[in-house]
């Protein structure tokens, strides 16, 4: 069976006019992610200190690289099914129009290469990791599936928090040890400001 494009998946979720306009349907999973991510973000902000990622030993013995790839694949699967996040994936762009597993593997290996001495990212994805990440975020911000008001602008605060929430929920679904799931997501929450500034959008867009 051929893999469906991101647009085909999205069109099964809501009408095309809702994708490109400022209004869209929300989903129960999407709202759960937004709520959980908001809680995580606010909790980290109250602490006012950097939270370190788990040690290499913890990552390798309690999660493992293959499990991490599965976790992040589940994370992207959740985001692509959430209309709030799906508008960031341009199905006409070859880099963006790939499966959730491919997206998840890219990010999992990028983080794994930063947190351990594993170099799989550079062998399987390529060099210039930070440039690739920046280009990916720029493509997402400029995605034509966003409303005209938001195209080319920053991610919304709801998208920021949903990102964190989907990652935490994906970790739970993937049976990541709760302590490590919390620590990884909270660590990334302390870094997420690098991808701002964020836009306060209406209707939790």
């Amino acid at each position: 069976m051929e893999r469906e494009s991101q647009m085909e998946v999205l069109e099964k979720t809501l009408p095309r006019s809702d994708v490109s306009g400022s209004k869209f349907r929300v989903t129960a999973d999407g709202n759960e992610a937004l709520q959980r991510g908001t809680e995580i973000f606010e909790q980290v902000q109250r602490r006012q200190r950097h939270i370190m990622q788990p040690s290499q030993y913890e990552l390798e013995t309690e999660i493992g690289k293959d499990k991490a790839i599965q976790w992040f694949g589940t994370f992207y699967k959740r985001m692509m099914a959430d209309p709030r996040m799906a508008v960031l994936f341009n199905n006409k762009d070859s880099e963006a129009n790939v499966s959730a597993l491919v997206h998840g593997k890219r990010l999992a290996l990028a983080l794994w290469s930063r947190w351990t001495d594993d170099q799989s990212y550079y062998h399987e994805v390529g060099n210039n990791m930070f440039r690739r990440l920046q280009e990916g975020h720029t493509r997402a911000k400029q995605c034509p599936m966003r409303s005209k008001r938001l195209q080319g602008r920053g991610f919304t605060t709801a998208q920021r928090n949903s990102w964190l929430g989907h990652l935490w929920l994906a970790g739970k679904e993937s049976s990541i040890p709760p302590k490590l799931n919390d620590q990884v997501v909270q660590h990334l929450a302390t870094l997420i400001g690098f991808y701002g500034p964020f836009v306060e959008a209406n209707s939790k867009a």
Side-chain angles (χ1 to χ4, degrees):
M1 180 182 297
E2 293 185 4
R3 178 176 55 80
E4 294 177 302
S5 71
Q6 310 309 334
M7 179 62 77
E8 288 171 333
V9 172
L10 190 56
E11 284 179 341
K12 291 181 178 180
T13 308
L14 72 169
R16 183 68 181 89
S17 60
D18 283 350
V19 175
S20 59
S22 60
K23 296 181 179 180
F24 55 85
R25 293 178 186 171
V26 294
T27 64
D29 284 347
N31 281 343
E32 182 183 15
L34 175 59
Q35 179 179 352
R36 184 70 188 103
T38 300
E39 292 169 353
I40 293 168
F41 182 79
E42 291 178 349
Q43 181 183 45
V44 168
Q45 291 296 298
R46 286 194 297 270
R47 290 185 180 181
Q48 294 185 331
R49 64 180 178 84
H50 182 71
I51 298 171
M52 293 297 295
Q53 75 273 10
S55 68
Q56 178 170 337
Y57 177 79
E58 290 175 309
L59 290 167
E60 292 179 339
T61 59
E62 298 189 46
I63 299 178
K65 183 169 65 175
D66 290 343
K67 187 77 167 180
I69 292 171
Q70 176 191 336
W71 174 10
F72 279 77
T74 301
F75 164 55
Y76 272 94
K77 182 179 179 181
R78 290 184 59 92
M79 290 208 296
M80 290 175 173
D82 179 359
R84 182 179 289 114
M85 305 302 290
V87 295
L88 301 174
F89 296 90
N90 183 1
N91 71 306
K92 298 185 184 302
D93 187 299
S94 60
E95 286 292 314
N97 190 30
V98 296
S99 70
L101 180 59
V102 171
H103 278 294
K105 186 174 184 179
R106 288 173 181 169
L107 183 53
L109 291 181
L111 294 173
W112 209 254
S113 74
R114 295 288 296 167
W115 297 344
T116 75
D117 55 15
D118 184 276
Q119 298 297 299
S120 297
Y121 177 89
Y122 301 101
H123 298 308
E124 298 191 34
V125 181
N127 296 320
N128 301 313
M129 178 174 65
F130 290 107
R131 178 176 62 80
R132 288 174 182 271
L133 288 172
Q134 183 62 41
E135 289 174 348
H137 287 103
T138 298
R139 283 195 300 270
K141 292 174 183 178
Q142 296 174 344
C143 183
M145 292 169 64
R146 300 185 84 189
S147 68
K148 291 182 179 179
R149 183 175 65 84
L150 292 174
Q151 279 179 34
R153 300 182 67 193
F155 300 118
T156 68
T157 53
Q159 287 169 334
R160 175 197 65 198
N161 295 350
S162 294
W163 192 96
L164 295 169
H166 278 301
L167 183 57
W168 188 89
L169 290 165
K172 184 178 180 181
E173 289 178 29
S174 302
S175 300
I176 300 300
K179 177 185 175 183
L180 296 185
N181 189 23
D182 287 344
Q183 190 174 354
V184 166
V185 178
Q186 289 173 6
H187 169 67
L188 294 175
T190 67
L191 301 176
I192 204 166
F194 287 112
Y195 297 104
F198 299 97
V199 179
E200 291 287 350
N202 296 328
S203 304
K204 302 290 185 182

